[in-house]
Each structure stands twice: as C-alpha cells, then as structure tokens.
Amino acid sequence: MNLTQKLNMEWLGNVRGDVLAGIVVALALIPEAIAFSIIAGVDPMVGLYASFCICLVIAFIGGRPGMISGATGAMALLMITLVADHGLEYLLAATILTGILQLLFGVFKLASFMKFIPRSVLIGFVNALAILIFTSQLQHFVGETWIMYSLVALTLLIIYILPRFTKAVPSTLVAIVVVTAIAIFMNAGVRTVGDMGALSQTLPIFALPNIPLTFETLAIIFPYALALAIVGLLESLLTASIVDDMTDTESDKNKESRGQGIANMVTGCFGGMAGCAMIGQSVINVKSGGRGRLSSLVAGVVLMFLIIVLGSVVVQIPMAALAGVMIMVSIGTFDWSSLRNLHKIPRTDATVMVVTVGTVVYTHDLSKGVLAGVVLSAIFFAMKISKVKVESSLESKTIKVYRVRGQLFFASVTDLLESFNFNDDVKKVIIDVSGAHLWDDSAVGAMDKIESKYEQKGIEVVIRGLNKESSLLMDKIGGLSKASGH
Amino acid sequence: MFSKLVLATDGSDHSHRAADKAIELAKLSGNASIEIIYVVDGSKSKSDVLQYGDTATVTKKREEMLSIFSNKIAGEGIPSSIKILHGVPAETIIKHVNDNNFDCLILGSRGRSRVQTMILGSVSHKVMKYVKAPVLMVK
C-alpha cells in the first residue's frame, strides 16, 4: 500500500461512520472537558481548548486512528497543586514541557518500555483514576439542597435507562439537556457551569505562556511535566491497545507517543491544559462507528463550533448534571472485572493492585501510585525468582554432589550459601549448576566464596554444568576462581 | 438441512450446554459443520487488555477459551472453526448469521447477570427476534 492509498484509507475509508461518531464524541466531550477543567481548578475554556487542539492535532499525526484524545481526568488530577500554587501560566508552560518529554519518548522509541509496567499496576492505575474522579465530585455535594441531589439522580437515571429504549442519541446528552431545561424552567437556583468560571465564545489564540524563563521556573514545572508525560503516555498507549483490540487492527505506539507530545505542545501554546487519550471516549467513538482519522477531526471541530454557538446555554448547565456525568464516567472507568478476579489472581498481583490504588488515593498522584506499584512488583518478582533449590547427595564415600537449581543473583546468594554444609567429611565436592544461571558479580562472588571455604578445609571443588552465559560471566569477573575450569 | 451450524458462545455454562446440543444436532444431519463465534464488546476489550497486556496475548487467551469448545466438537468428529468478532454482542451476532446463510444458530439462554439484563436487555431475546435462520436457544 503506497502513501496516498494509506492516507486515503485512514481519512476517507469510512466517512459516514467517522462523521457521525465524531459528532457523538463532540457532544460527550463537552461536559467532560468542562468537568475536568473544574477538577484542575481552571476556567472551563482551558479544558475545552485542550480537547479542541488535541483532537485536531492527533487527527493528523496520531498513531492510532479511531482513538480520541482530549482533556482527561487523569491529567487534570495531576495539575491541581500546580494551578493552586502558581496559576494558569505555569500550567501552560508545564503542558508544553510535557509535550516535549512525550515527543522525546516517541523519538527514542521508548513505547516498548511500557512492558515494564506490570498489568496489576495498570489495573490499579485505572481503578484509582476512577476513584479519584468520583471523589473529586463529592465537593459539589457539600451543603447542597435536595434539589441538587435529585437532579444528579435524574441525570444518572436517564444515562443508564435511556439506552434500553433508544441508542440513536447519546443518553448523556439527553440527560444534560433535560436536567438543564428543568433547572432553567423551575428556576431552581442550583449552581451552574457559569458559576465555576468564565466561558468565552472565541477560538483559541496562539500565545506563549507568560512566565519568567528561568531555572527556577523549570524546577517548578519539571516534576509536574514528568508526571503528566508518564501518566499521559500510560493512558494513551493503554487506550491504543484497547482500540487495537476493539477494531482488530494494529497501531504504531511510538508514532502515537510523538503525536501526543506534539499535540500537548500545540495545546500549551493555545491556552489548553495537557491531555491524553481517553478510554471512555475512544470506546464511544468505535462503538458509534468511528474508525478513521476523520472522526477525531470532526469531534474537535464540532466541539468548538458548539461552544461558539451555544456558549450561553452551556454556562447554564447545572453542576448537578456534570456531577452525574462524572459519576457515570468513574463507574465506566473502573475495571469491575478486576474485583471479581481479585481472589483468583496470585496474591502478590492483588497486593500490587491494592497498593497502587491505595498510594494514589492517599497521595492524589497517579504517577506516585504507578511508581509504588512498579517498585513493589519488582520486589515481589525478585523474591519469587530468588528461590534457589539445592539438593545434595553422596556420589561415593569421599565425593559429595550439590545440585543447584534457580537464578543466582544478588538476592538469592544468601540462600545459596546457607544451603552448603562446609563441615562435610569428604575429599571432593562437585557443584552441579546445570539447572542454574549466574547473573551478576554477586553470584560469581558466592561461587568463589563456596570454593575458598571448602579449600580452607582441604576439600577439592569442581563446578560443572555451567551454561554458556554463566561461564562467560565467570571468566569475566571470576578470574581468581580455580575450579571454574582455568 | 441443518448442515451449516453456528454456535454463539460467551464462555458461560449456558454456552457449554448450547455446545452439547449443537453437537447432537450436527450428528443428526451427518455431514454438518459448526462455526463457533465469540463477540468481544468495548468493555470486554478494556478489561481483557488490562488483564493480559497486549493484543496478541488477549487474542491467544480468547482462542484458548474457545478451543475448549472446538476440541469438544472435534472429539465427536465434527468439523469446526472459530471466529472472534468485535462489536455489540446482539447486533454483531445478528449481522454475522444473516450475512453468512447459516442453517441454524445455537446459543445459550443467559450469560449476562440479572442487573445487566435489566439495563442492557437480553442478548438472546434480541437475537431471536432479528436472526433470519432458525434459532435453537438452549436453557
């Protein structure tokens, strides 16, 4: 397939499906972009501009056609303290830096490093994200009236019950329209989007963040940018795999990393907050028939068009309706099957998942949760793999054989040494390592130690069955060892 | 008559009983073959990718699950094939069965939980209504 054909297929292979799905996604994006802005503590426009810019840029340079990116909860949750302490301009600068980091990640083809993040950490990440989105809504309930509670309940009822009768219109949209209409006509006096911040009906304009270009600024934004870059790519590449599976096609993960990076750089220059791919929206897109690049473009354009045309209506959406939508988003984000499987999966995996969730909920920082999960998994892995088995038997009256099985490295050498009895009353000890692998200098050092301890007692030591890599390692580091065949 | 059969499964106990009946039906006609179909929807994609990591492993796990069915059918000397489809379960089954001129669709009566059925509706009910071929629903 040549380039023109490929472009044609990615853009024009599914025009009708892409346009329809793009419109559906745009409608679903608006309330989320506004709600995520409110979570981050910025004006609704910041999230809307982000979703608009990211959708547009990703449509052209993303690696996974059919995937939808925009302002997300995962990213918004990471920005809260930066916005509160330093303000919007620093957030925009951090967004641009996030983009640069993600671009580098993609250029150096680091997507394959994702495999070092264990699945139980990913599941913990998604579940923690769902919990944080849910708890971020609780503030809207504080000191509210029963009117607000019943509007939230009504929103949820419509969202979940309507699809039973018709799937022609997205139930979230119907819920928002109905609840907004009720609030306006009843003059209910509930808080609205307009109370949370300004909504300008203009296109975003290019402007570099107004910050001092000093090392101090970098020191402030870098930790945030790094966390944003990691979490953004994590969710984007996870979403890409889900879209791969849903559409039964492959995608270029490094291209997607570069695309996410450029999209965030552009967004930061146009007054938008950092974003990434959205699992929920991508699923909606594919379900609604979106497969190509066109759907993301249509979603972005329609979103901006609706804000410019209907901005005055959008500010009247009650927070109750948004809270309802966000509760739906958090229920949809949570991986419920992981709860059902919790008692079936290995206990260590379950622990990693729970610790990841616990760390995130405690620190309100998804990147810290991922780090804790990865470190704990590494420790568990080292514990599991560091189990060595040593069996001994007498070959004759004066010769004893030790058979070592397992991985010999820094974490397993203590167990190894304890398995040898240096008071053996024999002339010769054979250490059979054909079932073992030596990985590092600790392993070689342990073998040397065993040899010298026996030799102090006048017992000859023979090591046999070293595999190729292990003997290369011993040649390299274990120069003093006599029994290794020199 | 009843030589090109299709068995819709979701891996549940009900679909195992449906498989047994599909085998009985295939034996009656002598030269029948059974296609096993499995539909993956959006939420299944999400939870499977989360659980197994990459798409290659996910596909392998699904094929392993379906091979229980194909082995059972092969054990009775009946030719079978596996097809994994993507989409909304009911609609996808209906389209696949109607497009491929099957003689009979065999499916289990209930895979979803009661709550899911209340919200999402019953897959088998919808399928029975819109599939053109005869449907054997196994209780």
Side-chain angles (χ1 to χ4, degrees), chain A residues 119 164 245-246 332-333, chain B residues 45-46 51 62 86 118-119:
Chain A
R119 272 146 1 206
R164 278 218 66 175
D245 186 55
M246 281 186 82
T333 302
Chain B
S45 273
K46 185 186 137 197
Q51 201 180 343
R62 286 178 192 147
H86 298 263
M118 205 175 79
I119 296 171

Side-chain angles (χ1 to χ4, degrees), chain A residues 14-276:
Chain A
N14 178 36
V15 176
R16 204 184 112 87
D18 282 351
V19 170
L20 284 176
I23 295 171
V24 172
V25 169
L27 294 171
L29 268 177
I30 292 175
E32 289 195 17
I34 294 173
F36 293 142
S37 309
I38 293 168
I39 290 177
V42 292
D43 281 344
M45 282 328 285
V46 180
L48 290 166
Y49 283 159
S51 295
F52 168 67
C53 293
I54 295 173
C55 273
L56 246 59
V57 176
I58 285 292
F60 290 96
I61 57 172
R64 173 64 261 182
M67 183 162 86
I68 300 296
S69 302
T72 59
M75 303 293 261
L77 289 160
L78 290 172
M79 305 165 183
I80 300 171
T81 48
L82 177 65
V83 175
D85 295 347
H86 301 280
L88 176 62
E89 295 298 321
Y90 279 82
L91 170 63
L92 299 182
T95 299
I96 296 172
L97 186 58
T98 300
I100 295 170
L101 293 175
Q102 290 180 327
L103 180 64
L104 292 174
F105 196 93
V107 168
F108 293 110
K109 303 203 188 321
L110 299 179
S112 55
F113 275 84
M114 287 286 291
K115 67 171 180 257
F116 289 112
I117 298 179
R119 272 146 1 206
S120 37
V121 176
L122 280 181
I123 296 173
F125 170 84
V126 168
N127 289 348
L129 173 60
I131 293 171
L132 285 193
I133 292 178
F134 182 81
T135 53
S136 71
Q137 297 309 306
L138 297 179
Q139 52 172 316
H140 301 305
F141 289 84
V142 178
E144 280 292 346
T145 55
W146 65 270
I147 302 177
M148 191 267 187
Y149 297 147
S150 42
L151 286 181
V152 174
L154 179 65
T155 309
L156 284 168
L157 273 178
I158 296 175
I159 288 174
Y160 283 109
I161 304 294
L162 188 72
R164 278 218 66 175
F165 302 101
T166 174
K167 283 178 184 155
V169 272
S171 62
T172 339
L173 178 70
V174 175
I176 290 176
V177 169
V178 169
V179 171
T180 307
I182 291 176
I184 293 174
F185 289 122
M186 277 179 49
N187 208 358
V190 286
R191 271 190 302 161
T192 62
V193 169
D195 298 331
M196 307 305 291
L199 196 108
S200 54
Q201 285 164 263
T202 51
L203 283 168
I205 43 162
F206 180 86
L208 287 173
N210 182 21
I211 45 148
L213 286 173
T214 59
F215 183 77
E216 203 188 343
T217 308
L218 186 68
I220 292 169
I221 62 172
F222 188 79
Y224 288 99
L226 188 64
L228 287 167
I230 293 170
V231 168
L233 286 179
L234 196 64
E235 191 172 352
S236 299
L237 299 183
L238 178 65
T239 311
S241 289
I242 293 170
V243 177
D244 285 355
D245 186 55
M246 281 186 82
T247 57
D248 211 5
T249 50
E250 287 298 309
S251 65
D252 184 342
K253 304 289 187 297
N254 287 312
K255 187 177 178 187
E256 185 58 46
S257 306
R258 296 197 299 272
Q260 290 287 335
I262 295 169
N264 276 326
M265 285 157 68
V266 171
T267 304
C269 295
F270 282 92
M273 62 197 229
C276 63

